[in-house]
Every structure is written in structure tokens, then in C-alpha cells.
Amino acid sequence: MKFGGTSVANIERIKNVADIIKNKKKDNSKLVVVVSAMAGVTNDLVQKSKSISKNFSNEEYDVLLSSGEQVTSALLSACLIEKNIQARSMLAWQIPIVTEGQHKNSRILSLNSKAILNYLDMNYVVVIPGFQGISEKMRVSTIGRGGSDASAVALAKALDADRCEIYTDVEGIFTTNPEICDKAKKIEKISYDEILEMSSLGAKVMQSSSVQKAMMNDIEIFVKSTFSPEKSGTQILSEDRISYNQVITGVASSNDDAKITLIGVKDKPGVASAIFKPLNDQNIIVDMIVQNISADSKKTDVTFTVKRDDMDKTKKMLENLKKDIGYDNLLTDNKVAKVSIVGAGMITHPGVAYKMFNALSLKKINILVISTSEIRISVLVNDSNVELAVKTLHSAFELD
Ligand code: ADP
Ligand code: ASP
Ligand code: MG
């Protein structure tokens, strides 16, 4: 059972979580509980780091940020003990949960389940802070924002759990973000592929790397509400166990992208590679890409998107390489948002793209860039249009 930040936002809510666990324990289930930091705590710690330095040490950043989860694990364990349930916290280094990769964004490499199983055998509820790990150099690490979901899935796998339940502040996964569109509906069952697309396109209800891990290991996930735990929530499972009667399963949006356009790029072999190599060297992720061929076929414009945080860095780098790449002008725009429709039903239904573009055009929403995969279509629009675009597509595809 994993409880997110809003679910443990204050003492009252932590007591409520303890009651949910106590109730679950009635049938003698062996329970491992993963907790997030209390709502707002991680953001507050990020701000504190910024007030010390713009170049705050990555190693210390992880020590700082992981502390939020540690606080919750102790409060919840003690609350369970208070309710006469045997419980203990187990921090990442005590298990250990070993991670690899860079600080701030590590990945779980291995997890020793022995100590946990030992305590489960003694009938303890084991409470584990999510988001944190320990590197091979024995330094505290964190696994990326929203990472407690990934901690829960990794534990479910290592312990060969019967169920993995993600408790959050909504009743499950909805057809779109219920905060943006009040016509959003709860989805009963969704495939790994679909929620993977939706989460990487902005639906933060499940962190995308946690879905990836669940998909690779066939771990069934139930997303449920902490505030009405009796309700069924959403089940995430493999596509062959779902019957599709809808073309589109959901609509997602994100506003952390920025658009970069190089105007007047020479149309010759090697140019695209010259543009994207330096970005690759700096680990900058490029998402949507379009290239227009000019009428005289001598010059082209290249437009692509990067994460908004990477925009200034990318701009500087490409300006420094202006002579080597050979272009006339560089434009950037960070007031853009990406809106996507996702659905495995798309594979067997023609005309989805037309229907999407037509619906947007009727609302006079201009499309800046388009990208597609087998089960999704994304468009980049001005960020002032994002809410209208989401609502328009939600009703155009009969999800209201
Ligand atoms: P937690 O703190 O429990 O991890 P998050 O805030 O990370 O919770 O994720 C839950 C939130 O995700 C919801 O409150 C909602 O605002 C947002 N969200 C975005 N898209 C969706 C969606 N398609 N379905 C449900 N929630 C969504
Ligand atoms: N507390 C961390 C965050 O806010 C991890 C999590 O909640 O999943 O990103
Ligand atoms: Mg989350």
C-alpha cells in the first residue's frame, strides 16, 4: 500500500491512513506500506536548497529531500503502534534499496527483501519511506519527483506481492485530469501502455517510471482513493485483458515544454545530426520534432521541443554553434502546452487524427507541432488554450 502526499498531509490524515491499514490487517494480510512526504514538504525543501545556493550539492540535495518521507514513516509507524498494531519504519539504507545513476534522478537497481520478510513473518506492518535509496557509494539518493510510486512498485516486485495499491487524492485514474475538466470520468481498467503514455504526457496520478516497471514485470496495480478506500478505483493491467469499446481512453496535458525553432537551416545531409548532437551530449531530452522543406529546397526550418527548464541552456548552446550548424535565426517560446489523446482503440479506428484536428479548429485553437505514436496523438498549442483544448477533445471523443 502506497500513500501519497495529500493522503498524509497532516496528523488527522495520518491517523486516517493508520485506520485504513488497521482495517486491512483484519484478515491477517502481510502489509508493507510506502509513504510520501506530507503534502508541500518536498517543495518546501527544494525552496530551502535554492535559498542556500543555485548550485546546491546534488548529494546533499538528496539527503535534504529524502527527509520528508522519513518523517512520515516515523509518524505513521508510531500511530500504528498507538493503535496496537505492531509496526516499524525501515529506511532505504536499512533494507537496503540500492540505486544507480545520477543523484536527484537515480533508479532502483536492487532491493534486499530479507529483512522486510523477516518482520512480516513476525506480523509487523513495515513502513518504508518512498522516493529514497542508497547509492553504491553509500550516499543517500532520490529517484525523481513523484518517485514513491516507483518505490512501491519495486517493493511489490521484490516481495512478490499479491497486490500493489496506490492510494491517492482522487478515486482512480480518470479520462482526463479531474482538476481541469469536471466531466472527467473514472476509468475501471486501463492498460500499462495507455497509462504509460498518459503519465509521461502529464497525468501525474502515476509516475511514469513506476508504470514502466510494473509493465515489465506484469505487476497489477490498483489506484484508489485514501478518502473513500471502499471504492473500487482503477485497475492497471495488460491490454489483452481489456475490451475496448471506445477509440480514445484519455486526454492528457502538460505545460513543462518549450519550443525552439531554427530558421533558414541548410538543407543538406548531416544538419539534423549537427543540431541534436550537442543536446544529446548534455542529456537534454528532445520530444517533438518537425522539419519543413522550403519551396526552393535549399533551406528548411527545424522546430523541436525540450523541457522548459532546459530551454535557456539549449538556446545558448545552439547560439554558440550558429556558424557550425549554419542557420539564419533562432526563436524560442515557452508559453506552449502539449495536449494528447491516448487510446489503444486508435489502432483499429481510422480518422482519429482528422477528428482531433477538426475539433480543435472549430474552437479556433492553433496547432503548433504534432507528434504521434501507435496509441497517441499529441499537439503543441499556446498554453492559454490548454484547458479549452482538453475539454474540447474530451467531449469530441465522447468521454464526457
Ligand atoms: P500523490 O501525492 O498521491 O502521489 P499526485 O498529486 O502525484 O498524488 O497525483 C494525483 C493527482 O494527479 C490528482 O489529484 C490529479 O490532480 C492529477 N491527475 C492528472 N491527470 C489525472 C488523471 N487522468 N486521472 C487522475 N488524476 C490525474
Ligand atoms: N515527495 C516526493 C515528491 O514530492 C516523492 C513523492 O511524493 O512521490 O516528489
Ligand atoms: Mg504522485
Side-chain angles (χ1 to χ4, degrees), residues 289-319:
I289 305 175
V290 278
Q291 180 180 335
N292 312 327
I293 297 160
S294 63
D296 63 5
S297 67
K298 281 187 186 135
K299 285 194 170 175
T300 72
D301 296 344
V302 177
T303 298
F304 59 92
T305 61
V306 295
K307 288 271 163 260
R308 207 172 276 182
D309 287 345
D310 287 333
M311 187 182 87
D312 290 338
K313 194 171 158 190
T314 308
K315 186 178 174 202
K316 235 185 231 153
M317 216 155 46
L318 292 174
E319 278 171 350

PDB file of all heavy atoms in Angstrom, residues 289-319:
ATOM      1  N   ILE A 289       9.489  16.877 -32.960  1.00  0.00           N
ATOM      2  CA  ILE A 289      10.377  17.475 -33.974  1.00  0.00           C
ATOM      3  C   ILE A 289       9.608  17.636 -35.283  1.00  0.00           C
ATOM      4  O   ILE A 289       8.911  16.718 -35.711  1.00  0.00           O
ATOM      5  CB  ILE A 289      11.605  16.578 -34.262  1.00  0.00           C
ATOM      6  CG1 ILE A 289      12.353  16.257 -32.966  1.00  0.00           C
ATOM      7  CG2 ILE A 289      12.535  17.240 -35.284  1.00  0.00           C
ATOM      8  CD1 ILE A 289      13.502  15.286 -33.129  1.00  0.00           C
ATOM      9  N   VAL A 290       9.706  18.812 -35.923  1.00  0.00           N
ATOM     10  CA  VAL A 290       9.204  18.954 -37.305  1.00  0.00           C
ATOM     11  C   VAL A 290      10.225  19.690 -38.148  1.00  0.00           C
ATOM     12  O   VAL A 290      10.938  20.573 -37.674  1.00  0.00           O
ATOM     13  CB  VAL A 290       7.882  19.752 -37.442  1.00  0.00           C
ATOM     14  CG1 VAL A 290       6.695  18.912 -37.158  1.00  0.00           C
ATOM     15  CG2 VAL A 290       7.896  21.020 -36.645  1.00  0.00           C
ATOM     16  N   GLN A 291      10.272  19.294 -39.408  1.00  0.00           N
ATOM     17  CA  GLN A 291      11.162  19.972 -40.343  1.00  0.00           C
ATOM     18  C   GLN A 291      10.336  20.314 -41.571  1.00  0.00           C
ATOM     19  O   GLN A 291       9.675  19.451 -42.147  1.00  0.00           O
ATOM     20  CB  GLN A 291      12.312  19.041 -40.709  1.00  0.00           C
ATOM     21  CG  GLN A 291      13.278  19.677 -41.673  1.00  0.00           C
ATOM     22  CD  GLN A 291      14.415  18.735 -42.035  1.00  0.00           C
ATOM     23  OE1 GLN A 291      14.755  17.824 -41.290  1.00  0.00           O
ATOM     24  NE2 GLN A 291      14.990  18.959 -43.202  1.00  0.00           N
ATOM     25  N   ASN A 292      10.348  21.601 -41.950  1.00  0.00           N
ATOM     26  CA  ASN A 292       9.603  21.998 -43.157  1.00  0.00           C
ATOM     27  C   ASN A 292      10.585  22.113 -44.307  1.00  0.00           C
ATOM     28  O   ASN A 292      11.632  22.724 -44.156  1.00  0.00           O
ATOM     29  CB  ASN A 292       8.969  23.385 -43.002  1.00  0.00           C
ATOM     30  CG  ASN A 292       8.243  23.511 -41.691  1.00  0.00           C
ATOM     31  OD1 ASN A 292       7.690  22.536 -41.188  1.00  0.00           O
ATOM     32  ND2 ASN A 292       8.261  24.711 -41.133  1.00  0.00           N
ATOM     33  N   ILE A 293      10.198  21.568 -45.435  1.00  0.00           N
ATOM     34  CA  ILE A 293      11.067  21.702 -46.601  1.00  0.00           C
ATOM     35  C   ILE A 293      10.666  22.965 -47.342  1.00  0.00           C
ATOM     36  O   ILE A 293       9.493  23.169 -47.658  1.00  0.00           O
ATOM     37  CB  ILE A 293      10.950  20.470 -47.511  1.00  0.00           C
ATOM     38  CG1 ILE A 293      11.438  19.253 -46.722  1.00  0.00           C
ATOM     39  CG2 ILE A 293      11.757  20.647 -48.787  1.00  0.00           C
ATOM     40  CD1 ILE A 293      10.975  17.954 -47.257  1.00  0.00           C
ATOM     41  N   SER A 294      11.627  23.827 -47.607  1.00  0.00           N
ATOM     42  CA  SER A 294      11.296  25.082 -48.288  1.00  0.00           C
ATOM     43  C   SER A 294      11.044  24.832 -49.776  1.00  0.00           C
ATOM     44  O   SER A 294      11.458  23.809 -50.323  1.00  0.00           O
ATOM     45  CB  SER A 294      12.447  26.070 -48.134  1.00  0.00           C
ATOM     46  OG  SER A 294      13.581  25.537 -48.779  1.00  0.00           O
ATOM     47  N   ALA A 295      10.373  25.783 -50.378  1.00  0.00           N
ATOM     48  CA  ALA A 295       9.975  25.607 -51.770  1.00  0.00           C
ATOM     49  C   ALA A 295      11.197  25.422 -52.685  1.00  0.00           C
ATOM     50  O   ALA A 295      11.181  24.589 -53.592  1.00  0.00           O
ATOM     51  CB  ALA A 295       9.153  26.807 -52.219  1.00  0.00           C
ATOM     52  N   ASP A 296      12.264  26.183 -52.442  1.00  0.00           N
ATOM     53  CA  ASP A 296      13.438  26.060 -53.314  1.00  0.00           C
ATOM     54  C   ASP A 296      14.347  24.901 -52.893  1.00  0.00           C
ATOM     55  O   ASP A 296      15.407  24.686 -53.445  1.00  0.00           O
ATOM     56  CB  ASP A 296      14.226  27.377 -53.337  1.00  0.00           C
ATOM     57  CG  ASP A 296      14.781  27.726 -51.955  1.00  0.00           C
ATOM     58  OD1 ASP A 296      14.620  26.901 -51.026  1.00  0.00           O
ATOM     59  OD2 ASP A 296      15.365  28.806 -51.792  1.00  0.00           O
ATOM     60  N   SER A 297      13.911  24.188 -51.870  1.00  0.00           N
ATOM     61  CA  SER A 297      14.615  23.044 -51.281  1.00  0.00           C
ATOM     62  C   SER A 297      16.097  23.307 -50.977  1.00  0.00           C
ATOM     63  O   SER A 297      16.904  22.398 -50.990  1.00  0.00           O
ATOM     64  CB  SER A 297      14.407  21.772 -52.123  1.00  0.00           C
ATOM     65  OG  SER A 297      15.028  21.895 -53.363  1.00  0.00           O
ATOM     66  N   LYS A 298      16.435  24.565 -50.708  1.00  0.00           N
ATOM     67  CA  LYS A 298      17.813  24.863 -50.285  1.00  0.00           C
ATOM     68  C   LYS A 298      17.892  25.059 -48.770  1.00  0.00           C
ATOM     69  O   LYS A 298      18.896  24.764 -48.157  1.00  0.00           O
ATOM     70  CB  LYS A 298      18.305  26.130 -50.992  1.00  0.00           C
ATOM     71  CG  LYS A 298      18.730  25.836 -52.427  1.00  0.00           C
ATOM     72  CD  LYS A 298      19.372  27.036 -53.075  1.00  0.00           C
ATOM     73  CE  LYS A 298      19.639  26.748 -54.542  1.00  0.00           C
ATOM     74  NZ  LYS A 298      19.237  27.855 -55.403  1.00  0.00           N
ATOM     75  N   LYS A 299      16.804  25.592 -48.215  1.00  0.00           N
ATOM     76  CA  LYS A 299      16.817  25.839 -46.773  1.00  0.00           C
ATOM     77  C   LYS A 299      15.544  25.283 -46.123  1.00  0.00           C
ATOM     78  O   LYS A 299      14.503  25.210 -46.775  1.00  0.00           O
ATOM     79  CB  LYS A 299      16.920  27.341 -46.508  1.00  0.00           C
ATOM     80  CG  LYS A 299      18.320  27.871 -46.765  1.00  0.00           C
ATOM     81  CD  LYS A 299      18.489  29.248 -46.192  1.00  0.00           C
ATOM     82  CE  LYS A 299      19.947  29.657 -46.243  1.00  0.00           C
ATOM     83  NZ  LYS A 299      20.122  31.040 -45.797  1.00  0.00           N
ATOM     84  N   THR A 300      15.651  24.936 -44.846  1.00  0.00           N
ATOM     85  CA  THR A 300      14.481  24.426 -44.134  1.00  0.00           C
ATOM     86  C   THR A 300      14.393  25.109 -42.766  1.00  0.00           C
ATOM     87  O   THR A 300      15.350  25.751 -42.322  1.00  0.00           O
ATOM     88  CB  THR A 300      14.591  22.904 -43.868  1.00  0.00           C
ATOM     89  OG1 THR A 300      15.560  22.707 -42.861  1.00  0.00           O
ATOM     90  CG2 THR A 300      14.980  22.145 -45.107  1.00  0.00           C
ATOM     91  N   ASP A 301      13.239  24.970 -42.124  1.00  0.00           N
ATOM     92  CA  ASP A 301      13.106  25.376 -40.719  1.00  0.00           C
ATOM     93  C   ASP A 301      12.984  24.100 -39.887  1.00  0.00           C
ATOM     94  O   ASP A 301      12.285  23.178 -40.279  1.00  0.00           O
ATOM     95  CB  ASP A 301      11.839  26.211 -40.508  1.00  0.00           C
ATOM     96  CG  ASP A 301      11.892  27.528 -41.264  1.00  0.00           C
ATOM     97  OD1 ASP A 301      12.997  27.920 -41.684  1.00  0.00           O
ATOM     98  OD2 ASP A 301      10.823  28.133 -41.454  1.00  0.00           O
ATOM     99  N   VAL A 302      13.659  24.079 -38.753  1.00  0.00           N
ATOM    100  CA  VAL A 302      13.548  22.925 -37.855  1.00  0.00           C
ATOM    101  C   VAL A 302      12.968  23.400 -36.529  1.00  0.00           C
ATOM    102  O   VAL A 302      13.494  24.331 -35.922  1.00  0.00           O
ATOM    103  CB  VAL A 302      14.922  22.264 -37.625  1.00  0.00           C
ATOM    104  CG1 VAL A 302      14.806  21.119 -36.632  1.00  0.00           C
ATOM    105  CG2 VAL A 302      15.509  21.755 -38.928  1.00  0.00           C
ATOM    106  N   THR A 303      11.858  22.779 -36.139  1.00  0.00           N
ATOM    107  CA  THR A 303      11.238  23.118 -34.852  1.00  0.00           C
ATOM    108  C   THR A 303      11.252  21.879 -33.967  1.00  0.00           C
ATOM    109  O   THR A 303      10.996  20.772 -34.445  1.00  0.00           O
ATOM    110  CB  THR A 303       9.781  23.568 -35.061  1.00  0.00           C
ATOM    111  OG1 THR A 303       9.784  24.743 -35.860  1.00  0.00           O
ATOM    112  CG2 THR A 303       9.096  23.878 -33.749  1.00  0.00           C
ATOM    113  N   PHE A 304      11.572  22.070 -32.701  1.00  0.00           N
ATOM    114  CA  PHE A 304      11.502  20.926 -31.771  1.00  0.00           C
ATOM    115  C   PHE A 304      11.187  21.426 -30.369  1.00  0.00           C
ATOM    116  O   PHE A 304      11.237  22.630 -30.106  1.00  0.00           O
ATOM    117  CB  PHE A 304      12.805  20.112 -31.798  1.00  0.00           C
ATOM    118  CG  PHE A 304      14.034  20.892 -31.432  1.00  0.00           C
ATOM    119  CD1 PHE A 304      14.481  20.938 -30.109  1.00  0.00           C
ATOM    120  CD2 PHE A 304      14.744  21.584 -32.394  1.00  0.00           C
ATOM    121  CE1 PHE A 304      15.613  21.650 -29.762  1.00  0.00           C
ATOM    122  CE2 PHE A 304      15.877  22.316 -32.054  1.00  0.00           C
ATOM    123  CZ  PHE A 304      16.310  22.346 -30.748  1.00  0.00           C
ATOM    124  N   THR A 305      10.811  20.490 -29.495  1.00  0.00           N
ATOM    125  CA  THR A 305      10.524  20.885 -28.112  1.00  0.00           C
ATOM    126  C   THR A 305      11.506  20.220 -27.146  1.00  0.00           C
ATOM    127  O   THR A 305      11.976  19.106 -27.395  1.00  0.00           O
ATOM    128  CB  THR A 305       9.088  20.521 -27.688  1.00  0.00           C
ATOM    129  OG1 THR A 305       8.934  19.100 -27.767  1.00  0.00           O
ATOM    130  CG2 THR A 305       8.054  21.177 -28.577  1.00  0.00           C
ATOM    131  N   VAL A 306      11.801  20.952 -26.078  1.00  0.00           N
ATOM    132  CA  VAL A 306      12.609  20.412 -24.976  1.00  0.00           C
ATOM    133  C   VAL A 306      11.858  20.741 -23.677  1.00  0.00           C
ATOM    134  O   VAL A 306      10.881  21.493 -23.704  1.00  0.00           O
ATOM    135  CB  VAL A 306      14.024  21.056 -24.925  1.00  0.00           C
ATOM    136  CG1 VAL A 306      14.837  20.706 -26.156  1.00  0.00           C
ATOM    137  CG2 VAL A 306      13.948  22.575 -24.752  1.00  0.00           C
ATOM    138  N   LYS A 307      12.311  20.202 -22.575  1.00  0.00           N
ATOM    139  CA  LYS A 307      11.708  20.565 -21.287  1.00  0.00           C
ATOM    140  C   LYS A 307      11.951  22.054 -21.041  1.00  0.00           C
ATOM    141  O   LYS A 307      13.018  22.579 -21.358  1.00  0.00           O
ATOM    142  CB  LYS A 307      12.330  19.743 -20.152  1.00  0.00           C
ATOM    143  CG  LYS A 307      11.908  18.297 -20.173  1.00  0.00           C
ATOM    144  CD  LYS A 307      10.637  18.079 -19.377  1.00  0.00           C
ATOM    145  CE  LYS A 307       9.945  16.768 -19.681  1.00  0.00           C
ATOM    146  NZ  LYS A 307       8.809  16.827 -20.595  1.00  0.00           N
ATOM    147  N   ARG A 308      10.958  22.721 -20.468  1.00  0.00           N
ATOM    148  CA  ARG A 308      11.054  24.168 -20.277  1.00  0.00           C
ATOM    149  C   ARG A 308      12.310  24.569 -19.488  1.00  0.00           C
ATOM    150  O   ARG A 308      12.964  25.554 -19.792  1.00  0.00           O
ATOM    151  CB  ARG A 308       9.795  24.667 -19.561  1.00  0.00           C
ATOM    152  CG  ARG A 308       9.471  26.090 -19.863  1.00  0.00           C
ATOM    153  CD  ARG A 308       8.130  26.457 -19.303  1.00  0.00           C
ATOM    154  NE  ARG A 308       7.032  26.093 -20.173  1.00  0.00           N
ATOM    155  CZ  ARG A 308       5.761  26.368 -19.888  1.00  0.00           C
ATOM    156  NH1 ARG A 308       5.457  27.002 -18.773  1.00  0.00           N
ATOM    157  NH2 ARG A 308       4.808  26.015 -20.715  1.00  0.00           N
ATOM    158  N   ASP A 309      12.656  23.721 -18.490  1.00  0.00           N
ATOM    159  CA  ASP A 309      13.847  24.010 -17.678  1.00  0.00           C
ATOM    160  C   ASP A 309      15.126  24.003 -18.509  1.00  0.00           C
ATOM    161  O   ASP A 309      16.141  24.570 -18.105  1.00  0.00           O
ATOM    162  CB  ASP A 309      13.998  22.964 -16.557  1.00  0.00           C
ATOM    163  CG  ASP A 309      12.955  23.169 -15.479  1.00  0.00           C
ATOM    164  OD1 ASP A 309      12.331  24.244 -15.463  1.00  0.00           O
ATOM    165  OD2 ASP A 309      12.764  22.243 -14.663  1.00  0.00           O
ATOM    166  N   ASP A 310      15.092  23.300 -19.648  1.00  0.00           N
ATOM    167  CA  ASP A 310      16.297  23.172 -20.484  1.00  0.00           C
ATOM    168  C   ASP A 310      16.355  24.224 -21.585  1.00  0.00           C
ATOM    169  O   ASP A 310      17.313  24.253 -22.364  1.00  0.00           O
ATOM    170  CB  ASP A 310      16.346  21.776 -21.140  1.00  0.00           C
ATOM    171  CG  ASP A 310      16.683  20.685 -20.143  1.00  0.00           C
ATOM    172  OD1 ASP A 310      17.359  20.992 -19.147  1.00  0.00           O
ATOM    173  OD2 ASP A 310      16.269  19.530 -20.360  1.00  0.00           O
ATOM    174  N   MET A 311      15.340  25.098 -21.677  1.00  0.00           N
ATOM    175  CA  MET A 311      15.267  25.992 -22.831  1.00  0.00           C
ATOM    176  C   MET A 311      16.462  26.951 -22.920  1.00  0.00           C
ATOM    177  O   MET A 311      17.101  27.053 -23.979  1.00  0.00           O
ATOM    178  CB  MET A 311      13.968  26.794 -22.816  1.00  0.00           C
ATOM    179  CG  MET A 311      13.784  27.615 -24.094  1.00  0.00           C
ATOM    180  SD  MET A 311      12.300  28.618 -24.069  1.00  0.00           S
ATOM    181  CE  MET A 311      12.918  30.075 -23.259  1.00  0.00           C
ATOM    182  N   ASP A 312      16.772  27.625 -21.825  1.00  0.00           N
ATOM    183  CA  ASP A 312      17.849  28.629 -21.880  1.00  0.00           C
ATOM    184  C   ASP A 312      19.189  27.987 -22.233  1.00  0.00           C
ATOM    185  O   ASP A 312      19.951  28.517 -23.040  1.00  0.00           O
ATOM    186  CB  ASP A 312      17.945  29.380 -20.545  1.00  0.00           C
ATOM    187  CG  ASP A 312      16.734  30.286 -20.353  1.00  0.00           C
ATOM    188  OD1 ASP A 312      16.093  30.629 -21.367  1.00  0.00           O
ATOM    189  OD2 ASP A 312      16.427  30.619 -19.188  1.00  0.00           O
ATOM    190  N   LYS A 313      19.435  26.844 -21.597  1.00  0.00           N
ATOM    191  CA  LYS A 313      20.681  26.108 -21.844  1.00  0.00           C
ATOM    192  C   LYS A 313      20.786  25.714 -23.324  1.00  0.00           C
ATOM    193  O   LYS A 313      21.825  25.878 -23.959  1.00  0.00           O
ATOM    194  CB  LYS A 313      20.658  24.858 -20.961  1.00  0.00           C
ATOM    195  CG  LYS A 313      21.970  24.138 -20.819  1.00  0.00           C
ATOM    196  CD  LYS A 313      21.778  23.076 -19.717  1.00  0.00           C
ATOM    197  CE  LYS A 313      22.790  21.966 -19.826  1.00  0.00           C
ATOM    198  NZ  LYS A 313      22.484  20.844 -18.936  1.00  0.00           N
ATOM    199  N   THR A 314      19.674  25.211 -23.876  1.00  0.00           N
ATOM    200  CA  THR A 314      19.653  24.776 -25.274  1.00  0.00           C
ATOM    201  C   THR A 314      19.896  25.964 -26.200  1.00  0.00           C
ATOM    202  O   THR A 314      20.676  25.889 -27.157  1.00  0.00           O
ATOM    203  CB  THR A 314      18.282  24.138 -25.613  1.00  0.00           C
ATOM    204  OG1 THR A 314      18.011  23.133 -24.642  1.00  0.00           O
ATOM    205  CG2 THR A 314      18.270  23.520 -26.996  1.00  0.00           C
ATOM    206  N   LYS A 315      19.232  27.065 -25.882  1.00  0.00           N
ATOM    207  CA  LYS A 315      19.351  28.269 -26.715  1.00  0.00           C
ATOM    208  C   LYS A 315      20.819  28.730 -26.752  1.00  0.00           C
ATOM    209  O   LYS A 315      21.381  28.957 -27.828  1.00  0.00           O
ATOM    210  CB  LYS A 315      18.465  29.371 -26.116  1.00  0.00           C
ATOM    211  CG  LYS A 315      18.395  30.617 -26.963  1.00  0.00           C
ATOM    212  CD  LYS A 315      17.466  31.645 -26.359  1.00  0.00           C
ATOM    213  CE  LYS A 315      17.561  32.927 -27.165  1.00  0.00           C
ATOM    214  NZ  LYS A 315      17.134  34.092 -26.414  1.00  0.00           N
ATOM    215  N   LYS A 316      21.417  28.809 -25.584  1.00  0.00           N
ATOM    216  CA  LYS A 316      22.816  29.259 -25.502  1.00  0.00           C
ATOM    217  C   LYS A 316      23.728  28.355 -26.321  1.00  0.00           C
ATOM    218  O   LYS A 316      24.579  28.819 -27.084  1.00  0.00           O
ATOM    219  CB  LYS A 316      23.254  29.229 -24.031  1.00  0.00           C
ATOM    220  CG  LYS A 316      23.781  30.584 -23.576  1.00  0.00           C
ATOM    221  CD  LYS A 316      24.311  30.509 -22.175  1.00  0.00           C
ATOM    222  CE  LYS A 316      23.706  31.611 -21.333  1.00  0.00           C
ATOM    223  NZ  LYS A 316      23.633  31.302 -19.928  1.00  0.00           N
ATOM    224  N   MET A 317      23.511  27.046 -26.171  1.00  0.00           N
ATOM    225  CA  MET A 317      24.369  26.081 -26.849  1.00  0.00           C
ATOM    226  C   MET A 317      24.264  26.230 -28.367  1.00  0.00           C
ATOM    227  O   MET A 317      25.258  26.241 -29.080  1.00  0.00           O
ATOM    228  CB  MET A 317      23.914  24.686 -26.436  1.00  0.00           C
ATOM    229  CG  MET A 317      25.020  23.714 -26.290  1.00  0.00           C
ATOM    230  SD  MET A 317      24.566  22.401 -25.152  1.00  0.00           S
ATOM    231  CE  MET A 317      22.965  21.954 -25.671  1.00  0.00           C
ATOM    232  N   LEU A 318      23.023  26.352 -28.844  1.00  0.00           N
ATOM    233  CA  LEU A 318      22.829  26.445 -30.302  1.00  0.00           C
ATOM    234  C   LEU A 318      23.318  27.783 -30.838  1.00  0.00           C
ATOM    235  O   LEU A 318      23.801  27.865 -31.974  1.00  0.00           O
ATOM    236  CB  LEU A 318      21.357  26.212 -30.659  1.00  0.00           C
ATOM    237  CG  LEU A 318      20.865  24.780 -30.401  1.00  0.00           C
ATOM    238  CD1 LEU A 318      19.364  24.673 -30.639  1.00  0.00           C
ATOM    239  CD2 LEU A 318      21.601  23.763 -31.266  1.00  0.00           C
ATOM    240  N   GLU A 319      23.219  28.834 -30.017  1.00  0.00           N
ATOM    241  CA  GLU A 319      23.744  30.137 -30.463  1.00  0.00           C
ATOM    242  C   GLU A 319      25.267  30.076 -30.613  1.00  0.00           C
ATOM    243  O   GLU A 319      25.836  30.611 -31.567  1.00  0.00           O
ATOM    244  CB  GLU A 319      23.341  31.241 -29.479  1.00  0.00           C
ATOM    245  CG  GLU A 319      21.921  31.727 -29.757  1.00  0.00           C
ATOM    246  CD  GLU A 319      21.383  32.670 -28.684  1.00  0.00           C
ATOM    247  OE1 GLU A 319      22.034  32.818 -27.616  1.00  0.00           O
ATOM    248  OE2 GLU A 319      20.304  33.237 -28.905  1.00  0.00           O
TER     249      GLU A 319
END
